[in-house]
Amino acid sequence: MTRAYFKSDFFALVVLGLFPLIAYVEPLLEHRLLGPGDGVALHLPMRTEAFAAYRDLSIPFLNTREFLGTPLLAAYRGGVLYPLMILLAPFEAFSAFQALVLISISLAGVLTFLYLKRLGAGAHGAFVGALCFAYGPYLLGHFEDTATLVAAPMLPLVLLAAESHMNRASA
């Protein structure tokens, strides 16, 4: 079963993709960290170590500088195996961290929209559902826990994969 996408779907996807950039333009222009609190004390230093390891073309197993050598590969807060970490590693750590947060929120909205469309929702309903998930009280309430923000796109992605598998109608 293929689903036709319309101009309103494309517009909704563009808005959902660009909305974090618009919503967080003030902290971005003032060079404030997205994800204050734990982001400053815990998440940014761990991810900085992971970015540095990738820039040095080494596998980030161990962290020798931050938090008494907390292992990077075993700790979920460093997120070393997350694909965006590898893609953003060439950039300066602060900018890469900011981009990681923005891209993750954008992906959460876009993937939720696509999942709701797959379930049969109209463009307006899927748009509202995506806004409620990506910019709702749960994710914004956990804004300083960047590990939660970065993991948020995985939920609709896994649901899309499961729905696709179930629609295959074969053993």
Side-chain angles (χ1 to χ4, degrees):
M1 179 175 143
T2 59
R3 173 170 293 285
Y5 289 97
F6 302 107
K7 288 181 184 178
S8 61
D9 295 342
F10 179 74
F11 180 71
L13 288 170
V14 169
V15 169
L16 287 168
L18 294 178
F19 191 74
L21 188 61
I22 296 165
Y24 301 114
V25 71
E26 182 179 337
L28 289 173
L29 291 177
E30 294 176 1
H31 299 288
R32 287 186 288 153
L33 186 70
L34 296 175
D38 286 348
V40 175
L42 181 61
H43 301 282
L44 180 61
M46 294 287 282
R47 292 190 188 270
T48 300
E49 288 296 315
F51 288 138
Y54 281 125
R55 274 194 302 275
D56 295 339
L57 299 176
S58 64
I59 300 172
F61 288 118
L62 295 175
N63 167 16
T64 58
R65 292 179 250 177
E66 297 291 333
F67 306 112
L68 300 172
T70 302
L72 285 175
L73 192 59
Y76 76 95
R77 295 194 188 278
V80 296
L81 297 178
Y82 189 64
L84 282 177
M85 290 291 292
I86 299 166
L87 294 174
L88 294 172
F91 302 102
E92 187 265 327
F94 183 80
S95 300
F97 184 82
Q98 300 284 72
L100 180 69
V101 170
L102 290 175
I103 291 169
S104 296
I105 295 171
S106 292
L107 283 174
V110 167
L111 290 171
T112 302
F113 179 85
L114 294 174
Y115 175 63
L116 293 173
K117 287 292 288 187
R118 163 75 57 88
L119 290 179
H124 294 92
F127 182 76
V128 170
L131 280 178
C132 289
F133 177 67
Y135 308 104
Y138 179 75
L139 285 183
L140 293 183
H142 289 87
F143 203 68
E144 58 189 42
D145 184 14
T146 55
T148 301
L149 291 178
V150 170
M154 292 300 133
L155 176 62
L157 187 62
V158 166
L159 292 172
L160 271 167
E163 185 70 23
S164 178
H165 178 72
M166 296 302 289
N167 285 341
R168 208 176 302 151
S170 68

